[in-house]
């Protein structure tokens, strides 16, 4: 018959669908499995197929971490459980292990009983660099293996700091790894208008450990050429002497303050202000190293420790530069 057009023999519907589908096509939904499907044993984790687009999620075994394929990458990035990277987090502080309590030792000074050398590191204050505003000093106290021992923070009001600068009275609070205040250092105000040889003009530091219990004083002595102090007990009886260099602002070298016996014969220890190069002349970021005998009484170690801060404020706390008047 002329009006009829020959057609291809009919094919089953399933065969036509298989021809239309691409071998790399991704179904919109998982196929409907028959109710008689029996799951077999778990096989190995499927590797990414070369025909799949990048960033395509491949089903894996239960409990496996999904693989993420970055664009243009050749190897997947895989993280272990609990090991995901954390960004913008400060480095953890490594503290010195807490020692056991010792008899006849004020709480918190057990650390000093195990040390013969500590480092005092002052923080750099960005506000002081950009402005003339004086901020509270902060210090990190570390041992020789860079473990934190104490944190020292100044507690002085804004007016006193900026009005009196390096002559200001201050309170320094020493805290341990648990945040407990284990020591307090107080410097009263001394009038410098009087003659420098007058007792009322000499600087003094009181050390309390624990706070409220005085264990000693650091008293300045008049000397024409060099810094001179005496380390005293709670009864203001002199126990040791501190003798500084003739020039405390040593350019290119360390400034050494020797700790001697009262007769000056034997050397007990030293307080060394480290030379930090050009940084030492520009900012208040001092580095002190304190040395004392390991067997020295722990209270005397604390007094040597306290004298370091009085020396820092008197000789190395630089006032800001004055503006040039036109």
């Amino acid at each position: 018959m002329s009006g009829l057009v020959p057609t291809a023999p009919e094919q089953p519907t399933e065969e036509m669908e298989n021809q239309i589908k691409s071998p790399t096509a991704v179904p919109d939904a998982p196929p409907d499995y028959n109710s008689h499907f029996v799951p077999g044993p778990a096989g190995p984790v499927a590797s990414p197929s070369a025909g799949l687009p990048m960033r395509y999620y491949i089903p894996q075994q239960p409990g496996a971490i999904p693989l993420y394929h970055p664009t243009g990458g050749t190897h997947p990035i895989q993280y272990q459980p609990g090991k995901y990277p954390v960004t913008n987090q400060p480095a953890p502080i490594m503290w010195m292990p807490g020692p056991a309590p010792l008899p006849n030792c004020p709480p918190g000074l057990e650390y000093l009983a195990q040390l013969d050398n500590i480092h005092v590191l002052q923080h750099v204050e960005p506000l002081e660099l950009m402005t003339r505003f004086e901020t509270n000093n902060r210090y990190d106290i570390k041992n020789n293996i860079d473990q934190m021992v104490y944190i020292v923070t100044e507690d002085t009001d804004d007016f006193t700091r900026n009005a009196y600068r390096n002559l200001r009275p201050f309170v320094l609070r020493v805290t341990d790894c648990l945040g407990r205040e284990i020591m307090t250092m107080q410097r009263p105000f001394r009038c410098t208008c009087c003659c420098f040889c007058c007792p009322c003009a000499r600087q003094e530091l009181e050390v309390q450990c624990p706070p409220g219990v005085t264990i000693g004083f650091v008293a300045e002595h008049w000397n024409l050429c060099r810094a001179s102090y005496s380390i005293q007990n709670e009864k203001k009886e002199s126990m040791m002497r501190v003798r500084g260099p003739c020039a405390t602002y040593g350019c290119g070298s360390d400034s050494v303050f020797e700790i001697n016996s009262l007769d000056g014969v034997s050397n007990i220890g030293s307080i060394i202000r480290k030379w930090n190069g050009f940084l030492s002349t520009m900012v208040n970021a001092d580095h002190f190293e304190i040395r004392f005998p390991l067997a020295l009484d722990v209270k005397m170690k604390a007094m040597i420790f306290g004298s370091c801060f009085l020396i820092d404020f008197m000789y190395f706390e630089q006032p800001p530069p004055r503006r040039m008047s036109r």
Side-chain angles (χ1 to χ4, degrees):
M1 299 176 66
S2 61
L4 298 177
V5 179
T7 58
E10 294 184 1
Q11 297 180 359
T13 306
E14 295 180 358
E15 294 181 6
M16 295 179 62
E17 293 178 354
N18 293 334
Q19 294 179 2
I20 296 174
K21 291 183 178 179
S22 173
T24 59
V26 180
D28 295 335
D32 296 331
Y33 294 100
N34 297 329
S35 59
H36 62 272
F37 174 77
V38 178
V45 178
S47 60
S49 174
L52 294 178
M54 304 307 291
R55 290 191 173 183
Y56 182 75
Y57 175 78
I58 305 172
Q60 300 179 7
Q61 293 182 7
I65 304 302
L67 299 177
Y68 174 76
H69 303 272
T71 304
T74 58
H75 300 284
I77 300 175
Q78 188 170 8
Y79 298 117
Q80 297 180 5
K83 298 295 183 181
Y84 291 92
V86 181
T87 58
N88 299 328
Q89 293 292 336
I93 299 177
M94 300 300 297
W95 286 88
M96 179 179 174
L102 299 176
N104 301 324
C105 179
L109 295 187
E110 297 88 356
Y111 295 93
L112 295 181
Q114 300 181 355
L115 300 173
D116 60 355
N117 183 290
I118 57 176
H119 295 264
V120 180
L121 305 172
Q122 185 178 0
H123 288 208
V124 177
E125 302 296 342
L127 185 60
E128 292 186 6
L129 297 178
M130 297 182 294
T131 66
R132 294 169 55 91
F133 188 82
E134 183 76 25
T135 59
N136 280 319
N137 288 358
R138 295 179 298 166
Y139 306 85
D140 291 341
I141 314 302
K142 297 185 177 182
N143 56 17
N144 275 337
I145 58 176
D146 206 37
Q147 291 178 334
M148 191 80 74
V149 182
Y150 301 120
I151 294 178
V152 181
T153 307
E154 181 186 359
D155 186 7
T156 310
D157 61 272
D158 294 340
F159 173 78
T160 302
R161 287 196 313 270
N162 289 275
Y164 298 99
R165 299 292 178 174
N166 58 333
L167 298 176
R168 64 184 182 266
F170 60 76
V171 176
L172 296 179
R173 306 189 186 278
V174 184
T175 55
D176 60 4
C177 62
L178 300 178
R180 301 175 302 180
E181 183 177 351
I182 56 100
M183 186 188 306
T184 302
M185 292 174 279
Q186 298 181 357
R187 175 197 186 185
F189 176 74
R190 298 296 188 185
C191 181
T192 57
C193 299
C194 304
C195 178
F196 54 86
C197 60
C198 180
C200 64
R202 300 174 188 173
Q203 301 297 319
E204 185 181 77
L205 180 76
E206 179 183 358
V207 179
Q208 301 176 359
C209 185
V213 180
T214 303
I215 63 172
F217 299 87
V218 180
E220 180 190 17
H221 290 274
W222 180 81
N223 191 289
L224 183 62
C225 300
R226 63 180 71 229
S228 179
Y229 303 89
S230 64
I231 296 178
Q232 306 171 347
N233 60 13
E234 65 277 8
K235 299 179 181 179
K236 289 196 172 185
E237 298 173 346
S238 297
M239 307 296 294
M240 294 176 287
R241 290 191 179 276
V242 180
R243 184 179 177 87
C246 293
T248 55
Y249 289 95
C251 182
S253 61
D254 299 339
S255 299
V256 181
F257 294 78
E258 297 179 354
I259 303 171
N260 302 321
S261 58
L262 293 179
D263 55 10
V265 176
S266 59
N267 179 265
I268 300 174
S270 61
I271 300 174
I272 305 173
R273 192 254 188 172
K274 296 290 186 178
W275 171 255
N276 292 330
F278 187 68
L279 187 66
S280 298
T281 61
M282 296 299 297
V283 297
N284 293 327
D286 297 314
H287 175 196
F288 291 90
E289 182 182 2
I290 305 176
R291 301 174 182 175
F292 37 61
L294 182 63
L296 185 65
D297 181 71
V298 69
K299 291 184 179 180
M300 290 296 102
K301 289 184 178 182
M303 294 305 306
I304 297 175
F305 174 61
S307 62
C308 173
F309 296 96
L310 183 59
I311 292 173
D312 180 34
F313 274 84
M314 289 187 61
Y315 296 102
F316 305 108
E317 184 74 8
Q318 303 173 7
R322 297 181 179 180
R323 296 178 180 177
M324 300 297 296
S325 58
R326 296 180 180 179

